[in-house]
Amino acid sequence: MELQGTVKKLFDAQTFASGFQKREMVILTQEQYPQPINIEFLSDKISLLDNLKEGENVKVGINIRGREWVSPQGETKYFNSITGWKIEKVMDNGSEPTQASPAQSASPVSNENPFAGDDDDDLPF
């Protein structure tokens, strides 16, 4: 899957006692209702964030992961995480949301019936 948006926040890398490393970023999606999405980069992928700056437009390749956890009281909870694995910088097209627009025709639209002069009706019905 891919997410596209503007880099809102870059966090410092975190190293845990086990040696595990992660670094997080937040992108703001470019749609009618922009969403701040937290994405984590793990181990060798944290270096992908080194050349980014807040405010840049990016496209991020992501995986969505889920896990189940059972509390000491026996209650089961479910957690999701979004993990990044690829980043591409996208050309800056201003702060306008990216939306699909209909293709513009170079020639004016005609309201004439192109079949008006056809008297050959070769349809069987």
Side-chain angles (χ1 to χ4, degrees), residues 1-3 25 39 41 45 48-49 52 58-63 83-89:
M1 295 179 69
E2 288 185 339
L3 285 176
M25 72 178 289
I39 304 170
F41 291 80
K45 300 297 182 187
L48 295 173
L49 301 177
L52 290 182
V58 293
K59 185 186 300 184
V60 184
I62 62 165
N63 291 325
T83 305
W85 54 272
K86 177 179 82 169
I87 296 179
E88 296 175 28
K89 290 185 181 181

Side-chain angles (χ1 to χ4, degrees), residues 93-112:
N93 57 0
S95 60
E96 289 295 314
T98 304
Q99 295 181 356
S101 59
Q104 296 292 327
S105 174
S107 60
V109 176
S110 172
N111 289 334
E112 282 183 39

